[in-house]
Amino acid sequence: MKGLLLNQYYSVQKSIWVYALLAFVIPVVILIFFEGSMLDRLAAFVAIGFMVSPALEVLKHEGKSGWSKYMATLPISRAKVVQSHYLFFVLLLLVGVGLAGAAYFIATQLFNQVPTDYFFVGILSIIGIVLTSGVITYPLTYILGAEKSDMILVLGMGGSIGVYLLTYTIFSMVFNEEGTYFGSDADLFFGLLFIGITLIVFVLSYIVSLILYKRKEF
């Protein structure tokens, strides 16, 4: 497992450090020099969205290099391969959350800025979105093959944003009909609800990917 994770890291090492720098600097600049709920959301989106990108980029590298096919010939269980992909994705997601937290700390403690609660709403939303992209991307990769990673990544990102917007629209319609008794906390409640659902689906996606990859013939 350690070897698989290191291989993924080294295959996108440069991208990880570039995205990490951007995922830290851009949110800090936004939180310090700009105000507004949408910009606070954007700061959270950039921190986490940028940081997770290399995890999906790994699939592209494996497809173009032929590594995905070569791995199938190695004395490594296919379960370990799937686990390494999902674990690498989660690790970079956690790094993104950490960078978002660091940006918030610098803005509040060193520059006395007070971002709105929408920064935290943004964190919950983007976590849900990137988890949804993983839910779509990994099973499709094991079905269609890593060679089609470009198309799969587009479907994953587009599909995840679409699912988020559709879910938010349904949520808004339901609460508009029943009365928005959560008031200003409605978005926060939706973020928590969305991330809870996507976490469950993400685990189910892992199980599906495991079954698909075990049955896949190269």
Side-chain angles (χ1 to χ4, degrees):
M1 176 66 73
K2 182 179 179 181
L4 291 171
L5 290 173
L6 286 174
N7 178 71
Q8 292 181 57
Y9 168 74
Y10 287 123
S11 69
V12 291
Q13 181 180 12
K14 183 177 179 180
S15 294
I16 288 176
W17 287 104
V18 170
Y19 278 120
L21 180 63
L22 294 174
F24 177 69
V25 173
I26 294 177
V28 168
V29 171
I30 292 175
L31 293 177
I32 293 175
F33 296 105
F34 301 94
E35 296 181 357
S37 59
M38 290 304 297
L39 289 172
D40 287 345
R41 283 181 191 244
L42 178 62
F45 273 47
V46 168
I48 299 172
F50 275 24
M51 203 61 244
V52 172
S53 297
L56 300 177
E57 190 179 324
V58 166
L59 301 175
K60 183 177 180 179
H61 280 273
E62 290 182 352
K64 289 187 175 181
S65 66
W67 175 252
S68 57
K69 292 183 177 179
Y70 178 69
M71 261 193 308
T73 67
L74 298 176
I76 304 172
S77 71
R78 294 195 174 189
K80 293 292 185 183
V81 174
V82 176
Q83 287 172 14
S84 68
H85 281 146
Y86 274 79
L87 182 57
F88 191 66
F89 181 90
V90 171
L91 288 174
L92 288 185
L93 172 59
L94 293 176
V95 171
V97 173
L99 290 175
Y104 182 84
F105 177 83
I106 289 176
T108 56
Q109 301 302 315
L110 300 183
F111 292 90
N112 296 319
Q113 297 297 316
V114 183
T116 66
D117 290 341
Y118 284 99
F119 178 76
F120 301 103
V121 171
I123 288 178
L124 295 174
S125 298
I126 191 59
I127 289 176
I129 290 172
V130 298
L131 285 175
T132 305
S133 71
V135 167
I136 298 171
T137 301
Y138 287 112
L140 280 180
T141 299
Y142 299 132
I143 293 174
L144 303 177
E147 299 80 10
K148 298 181 180 179
S149 58
D150 286 330
M151 177 188 71
I152 294 171
L153 291 177
V154 172
L155 289 174
M157 291 308 298
S160 62
I161 294 173
V163 168
Y164 173 79
L165 293 176
L166 177 61
T167 307
Y168 186 79
T169 300
I170 295 173
F171 174 86
S172 299
M173 290 173 61
V174 170
F175 277 87
N176 281 338
E177 289 179 1
E178 296 183 0
T180 314
Y181 54 87
F182 282 98
S184 60
D185 293 331
D187 284 330
L188 185 60
F189 175 73
F190 170 76
L192 291 170
L193 180 64
F194 185 64
I195 196 175
I197 294 172
T198 52
L199 279 171
I200 295 172
V201 179
F202 188 75
V203 173
L204 294 176
S205 166
Y206 164 73
I207 297 172
V208 171
S209 294
L210 194 59
I211 295 171
L212 291 172
Y213 194 64
K214 283 183 176 180
R215 294 180 177 178
K216 187 174 179 63
E217 295 182 2
F218 292 90

